[in-house]
Amino acid sequence: MSDTARQQSPKAVKAAIAAERRELADMLDTLRAEQWDAPSLCTGWTVRHVAAHMSLGFRYSLPRMAREIIRARGSLDRMTDDRARADAAAHSTAELASFLRDNAHHPWKPPVGGIAAALGHDVVHGLDITVPLGLDREVPEDRVRILLDTVTPRTVRFFRADLHGVQLRATDMDWTFGTGAPLSGTAQDLLLVAYGRGLPPGHLTGPQANRFTTG
């Protein structure tokens, strides 16, 4: 963890999480029907699926989560996919937005990564929605810095991001990661790359940009 990450108190990270959830809820409230059904950056999921998934940890108790994993034959990936699809169908778009807004201060955290991972869950899934929709939302720099400071070879492997032979170079702040041919983009776009996402054309530059470009 870098000095920047250490300087962020748990209270500050919690405040960033609450602000991110409220802002994303407000954004979701503005979407048109066709945008809710548009593809997200998460393979196979629409915007509606991502929005449903984002509040899973608020709505499901640990015992229920365990039962759902058993029902999914022990696969966390299968469980999250099943629940995203079922919950997206069961709840209105207004409810999906309100789940984020009403749980702005919910203490949920992913199984690994602590409170910074909770912020990452919200920020990255928010970008999974806004980037393919062409919305120009910029995540505040302090939130992006917290998350970039957690990017390590271990997290890259966890998110199945193949960064072999490239160096990520942010164009809007002083941050690089890795070694190899330069892959340049905004910090929030490179955060998505580090989380294993492919981006639409025009977001990245460099000799290997096509490796990380979809469509």
Side-chain angles (χ1 to χ4, degrees):
M1 183 180 294
S2 75
D3 291 340
T4 304
R6 292 190 188 97
Q7 291 167 5
Q8 296 292 334
S9 69
K11 182 177 180 180
V13 179
K14 290 177 182 178
I17 290 170
E20 184 71 12
R21 289 175 184 168
R22 291 192 188 102
E23 291 166 20
L24 290 175
D26 290 345
M27 179 274 296
L28 291 174
D29 280 337
T30 71
L31 297 184
R32 303 184 303 275
E34 64 270 21
Q35 290 176 307
W36 278 95
D37 294 323
S40 73
L41 293 185
C42 295
T43 303
W45 280 5
T46 65
V47 167
R48 189 186 300 266
H49 295 138
V50 175
H53 169 72
M54 290 180 72
S55 61
L56 178 71
F58 314 149
R59 295 180 287 106
Y60 284 46
S61 66
L62 286 177
R64 182 177 179 185
M65 197 82 75
R67 290 195 300 272
E68 295 295 342
I69 292 176
I70 292 171
R71 187 174 291 117
R73 302 189 298 281
S75 170
L76 179 62
D77 288 344
R78 185 180 297 114
M79 185 276 287
T80 55
D81 184 68
D82 289 345
R83 297 324 308 162
R85 295 179 187 280
D87 293 346
H91 298 287
S92 69
T93 56
E95 287 175 322
L96 294 177
S98 69
F99 290 148
L100 284 177
R101 183 179 293 108
D102 296 345
N103 290 282
H105 293 280
H106 195 286
W108 174 84
K109 298 187 293 292
V112 295
I115 192 171
L119 177 62
H121 185 266
D122 295 333
V123 167
V124 171
H125 281 315
L127 292 170
D128 285 334
I129 292 171
T130 59
V131 169
L133 290 180
L135 305 181
D136 60 358
R137 179 174 188 262
E138 293 185 10
V139 180
E141 182 178 318
D142 63 314
R143 300 175 205 170
V144 177
R145 283 191 179 277
I146 291 170
L147 299 179
L148 290 178
D149 287 339
T150 68
V151 175
T152 66
R154 182 178 180 180
T155 64
V156 167
R157 288 193 299 271
F158 179 83
F159 291 112
R160 302 167 188 167
D162 179 11
L163 303 184
H164 178 73
V166 298
Q167 181 184 60
L168 305 184
R169 296 184 183 180
T171 56
D172 54 348
M173 66 173 64
D174 183 16
W175 184 82
T176 62
F177 179 83
T179 58
L183 181 69
S184 300
T186 65
Q188 68 182 40
D189 283 343
L190 296 183
L191 179 66
L192 285 170
V193 172
Y195 273 65
R197 271 48 170 189
L199 277 71
H203 282 257
L204 303 169
T205 60
Q208 298 198 48
N210 287 343
R211 275 177 56 192
F212 306 92
T213 300
T214 60

